[in-house]
């Protein structure tokens, strides 16, 4: 085969993927089908060609990855697991040539289930030895049109099998029909939305009848020298000059006061008062600069058409930690997108940016002296498995090196992000995930070893090695995400030298901008079996420094924590990093950490898992807990239980903005709703399972709340925006403001008051906040409309999740669209196409169809 022929097959080989059945084999496997159609004039013959593609479920798990390959005998094709999600489909000698128009169906099993289009990855490609790899065009693009519809319950349901106790496990979820979505999106009639601020202030008195015009000719910003940056920030937003001396009619005064009181109590660090009076101008008063900044954000939120109402506001946050976690390792997102995210976080008074910079799929931060981390670990593209020049093209990034699979922040770019965050009073918390999720780092340090060994510099080659070269893990253990070479070796001193080098260099980057306070080492999802048989680990055990292989994780965590403590830093970790043995769920003793604070991010709360009480167990053990629960705060989940909605579903089938809004961080058990199947749970379900119930005895150790976005499925900036917004505004509300209904003991009254408050919040989004996001270029998620037929009136009524968002309908299959304003007459002989648009009408939701009644 030559390059021209390979290129033509890339253009003309049609691929279709379909999930056939999730239910037949219980929870073990699902059945799927890949259909190849040759649309080329050339014949596709047996040869040394192969199709490479990413698949997030293990294919034929009864055989792979432990066998080298698995043959589908009646097709003449075989699967090979390369690493992670990367697979190879190649012909065997039984392959029958394919002429133009010929089709080949390849049926196979894959692990667990697949119920959404976004489970599949784009950018499959063809490879032939010594030729340039070629993308298969039918699989290119974010529309994922090569994935066949999930058009029956067998394809969109996950469970239908009997448990050992004789009960059944059945998936109750179906995609919403238009009526179900209408009912779910219904909001109370809250009347005209008055002046509002998100997050809700503690105390706000507004007189809307008095509006003050902020004319640049009549107003100046006045501030003492220590508030120059905040004054400049406000000046640029309002186009009002900073001037402390010029006589003008009106002033916006920013002032610090050590004696400030809020509700007759001494004001905290982030408290502020905002006063807007026509006769005494505008004043923002706070104890420190952060409070001044939040007062400014409230003022900016109040300004409409250059006018601000007369008001008095006293405010302070519920929690000191109000965070957003962003993963840029799975798919890289550049500096500009991060700066935009920081802008929106600041607008809603969020103050912690948890920056997930490394993982199996990429190392995204330049580390001086360890250039291989970005030369190798920040590049994804097609290479031979043994080639250490880059990582494999994981997560659908394709064979080239110019996609979201590649990229990193230089030291200067990272420092620019720090400067930007500091101006907005946001602390950046870098995470270097270890010892698991470290494939990129391990491969990079192998490349470094190879380079220096070629120069006969053994000492330098082994200085930062992270894997025991005498221990091959490539065919043994695999991580949850199917990676070999995933875990740093805890038995090697070079591992800890690497950790110290990275921590030291990251701390240096922060020093003169935003002194590093917390170093997050990850610690999650470690495949402990990767260390079995390692000579370095066995040597550590033989030395009696570690009692047994079961203690290796705690040993690693302790060593890393000591390194961090010696750098005078606090420690951050995911909850499983502090529970080295999940069988007994006893956390590492707090006194073993020398840092002043250890922040643990509690994420594992699938209700039937027996892990949801760990958050309180950690708090009671002296750890600072950041509530990060997967069921409500993981933004990699879809907004609806629909195959066309982007997202994973490991903690819950879906998580819309309303669900996030109703999260009660002070009472984790009050959030119990449904099992993974959608089966309703009583609110006392957890209390009946004593192994999963720790009462919170030290509430002062619950320090805050954080949203998470993991980016396995997020390749573009618009996808990133859509997964984060508007859910992040709900997290900002819960982190800053505690609602009265959270204290309500009566469950029915909680639900009633939640509905009322959510209705008000949803109206605020649709009438005001989403328009602010439009102006910032934020591509927030647009839920499609719901529809209701009023049979007696012969009318159709439509609604959106956020009242005020424009709804459009079409009766000519989308050729022309009409804006919906009021109920319309039923249209019995035509399908009605429906969509929601952004406030500025530049973007459109997915289209849903109200089908005309079908005749029998």
């Amino acid at each position: 085969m030559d390059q021209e022929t390979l290129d033509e097959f890339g253009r003309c080989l049609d691929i279709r993927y379909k999930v056939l059945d999730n239910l037949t084999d219980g929870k073990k496997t699902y059945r799927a089908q890949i259909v190849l159609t040759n649309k080329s004039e050339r014949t596709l013959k047996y040869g040394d060609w192969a199709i490479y593609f990413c698949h997030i479920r293990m294919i034929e798990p009864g055989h792979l990855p432990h066998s080298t390959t698995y043959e589908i005998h009646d097709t003449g094709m075989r699967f090979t697991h390369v690493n992670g999600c990367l697979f190879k489909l190649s012909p065997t000698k039984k392959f029958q040539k394919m002429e133009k128009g010929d089709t080949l169906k390849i049926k196979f099993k894959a692990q667990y289930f697949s119920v959404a289009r976004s489970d599949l990855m784009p950018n499959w490609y063809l490879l032939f030895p010594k030729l340039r790899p070629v993308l298969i065009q039918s699989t290119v693009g974010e529309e994922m049109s090569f994935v066949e519809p999930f058009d029956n319950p067998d394809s969109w349901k996950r469970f239908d099998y009997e448990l050992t106790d004789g009960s059944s496990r059945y998936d109750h979820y179906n995609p919403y029909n238009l009526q179900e979505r209408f009912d779910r999106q219904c909001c109370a009639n809250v009347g005209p939305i008055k002046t509002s601020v998100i997050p809700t202030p503690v105390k706000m008195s507004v007189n809307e009848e008095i509006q003050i015009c902020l004319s640049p000719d009549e107003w100046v910003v006045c501030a003492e020298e220590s508030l120059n940056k905040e004054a400049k920030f406000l000046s640029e937003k309002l186009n009002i000059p900073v001037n402390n001396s010029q006589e003008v009619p009106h002033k916006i005064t920013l002032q610090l006061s050590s004696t400030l009181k809020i509700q007759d109590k001494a004001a905290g660090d982030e408290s502020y008062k905002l006063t807007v009076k026509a006769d005494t101008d505008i004043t923002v008063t706070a104890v420190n600069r952060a409070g001044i900044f939040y007062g400014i954000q409230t003022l900016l939120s109040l300004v409409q058409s250059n006018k601000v109402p007369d008001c008095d506001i006293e405010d302070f946050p519920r929690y000191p930690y109000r965070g957003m976690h962003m993963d840029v390792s799975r798919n890289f997102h550049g500096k500009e997108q991060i700066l935009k995210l920081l802008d929106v976080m600041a607008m809603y008074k969020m103050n912690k940016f948890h920056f997930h910079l490394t993982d199996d799929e990429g190392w995204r931060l330049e580390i001086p002296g360890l250039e291989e981390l970005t030369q190798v670990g920040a590049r994804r593209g097609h290479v031979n498995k043994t080639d250490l020049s880059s990582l494999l093209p994981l997560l659908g990034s394709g064979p080239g090196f110019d996609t979201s699979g590649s990229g990193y922040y230089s030291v200067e770019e990272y420092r620019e992000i720090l400067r930007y965050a500091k101006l907005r009073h946001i602390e950046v918390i870098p995470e270097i995930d270890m010892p698991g999720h470290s494939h990129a780092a391990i491969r990079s340090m192998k490349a470094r070893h190879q380079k220096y060994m070629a120069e006969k510099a053994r000492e330098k080659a082994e200085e930062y090695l992270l894997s025991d070269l005498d221990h091959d893990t490539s065919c043994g253990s695999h991580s949850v995400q199917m990676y070999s070479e995933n875990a740093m070796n805890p038995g090697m001193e070079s591992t800890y030298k690497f950790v110290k080098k990275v921590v030291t260099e990251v701390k240096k980057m922060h020093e003169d901008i935003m002194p590093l306070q917390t170093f997050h080492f990850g610690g999650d999802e470690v495949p402990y079996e990767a260390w079995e048989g390692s000579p370095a680990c066995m040597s550590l055990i033989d030395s009696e420094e570690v009692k047994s292989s079961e203690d290796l994780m705690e040993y690693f965590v302790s060593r890393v924590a000591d390194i961090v403590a010696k750098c005078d830093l606090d420690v951050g970790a995911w909850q499983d990093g502090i529970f080295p043995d999940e069988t007994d769920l006893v956390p590492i003793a707090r006194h073993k950490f020398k840092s002043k604070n250890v922040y643990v991010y509690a994420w594992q709360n699938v209700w039937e898992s027996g892990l949801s009480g760990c958050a309180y167990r950690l708090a009671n053990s002296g750890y600072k807990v950041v509530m990060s629960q997967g069921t409500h705060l993981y933004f990699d989940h879809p907004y609806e239980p629909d195959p066309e909605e982007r997202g994973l579903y490991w903690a819950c089938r879906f998580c819309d903005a309303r669900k996030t809004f109703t999260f009660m961080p002070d009472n984790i058990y009050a959030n119990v709703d449904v099992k993974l199947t959608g089966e309703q749970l009583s609110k006392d379900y957890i209390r009946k399972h004593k192994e999963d119930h720790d009462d919170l005895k030290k509430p002062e150790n619950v320090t805050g709340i954080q949203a998470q976005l993991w980016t396995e499925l997020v390749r573009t900036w618009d996808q990133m925006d859509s997964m984060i917004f508007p859910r992040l505004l709900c997290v900002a509300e819960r982190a800053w403001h505690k609602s009265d209904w959270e204290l309500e003991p009566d469950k029915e009254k909680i639900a009633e008051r939640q509905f009322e408050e959510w209705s008000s919040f949803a109206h605020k989004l649709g009438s005001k906040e989403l328009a602010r996001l439009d102006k910032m270029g934020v591509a927030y998620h647009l839920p499609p409309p719901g529809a209701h037929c009023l049979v007696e009136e012969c009318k159709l009524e439509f609604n959106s999740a956020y009242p005020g968002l424009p709804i459009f309908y079409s009766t000519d299959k989308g050729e022309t669209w009409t804006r919906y304003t009021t109920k319309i007459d039923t249209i019995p002989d035509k399908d009605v196409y429906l969509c929601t648009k952004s406030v500025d009408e530049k973007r459109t939701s997915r289209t849903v169809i109200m089908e005309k009644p079908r005749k029998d």
Side-chain angles (χ1 to χ4, degrees), residues 39-56:
K39 295 185 176 181
S40 167
E41 299 293 337
R42 304 175 191 243
T43 302
L44 183 61
K45 303 175 183 178
Y46 167 74
D48 204 9
W49 56 269
I51 296 170
Y52 283 77
F53 65 104
C54 284
H55 199 268
I56 63 172

Side-chain angles (χ1 to χ4, degrees), residues 658 661-664 667 669-671 683 739-758:
R658 180 176 176 177
F661 179 83
T662 58
F663 181 61
M664 291 175 271
N667 186 356
Y669 309 120
N671 297 289
K683 294 297 182 183
S739 291
D740 292 341
W741 49 260
E742 295 186 61
L743 302 172
E744 175 61 61
D746 186 285
K747 298 170 188 176
E748 290 185 5
K749 288 183 179 179
I750 287 178
E752 180 181 325
R753 294 177 65 182
Q754 275 181 342
F755 176 67
E756 291 173 358
E757 192 166 310
W758 164 251

Side-chain angles (χ1 to χ4, degrees), residues 442-455:
I442 292 167
R443 297 288 287 181
S444 298
M445 292 303 96
K446 270 193 169 184
R448 188 177 191 276
H449 177 269
Q450 187 180 76
K451 177 177 71 176
Y452 285 112
M453 286 300 287
E455 298 175 6

Side-chain angles (χ1 to χ4, degrees), residues 343-363:
D343 264 333
V344 186
M345 287 177 61
M347 195 159 76
Y348 296 102
K349 304 183 179 73
M350 301 194 76
N351 66 345
K352 309 290 183 183
F353 180 52
H354 179 170
F355 210 0
H356 187 87
L357 292 160
T358 73
D359 216 293
D360 293 313
E361 298 87 353
W363 184 286

Side-chain angles (χ1 to χ4, degrees), residues 100 104 138 373 437 560 826:
K100 182 179 181 180
L104 178 64
S138 60
L373 287 170
H437 289 283
V560 170
T826 54

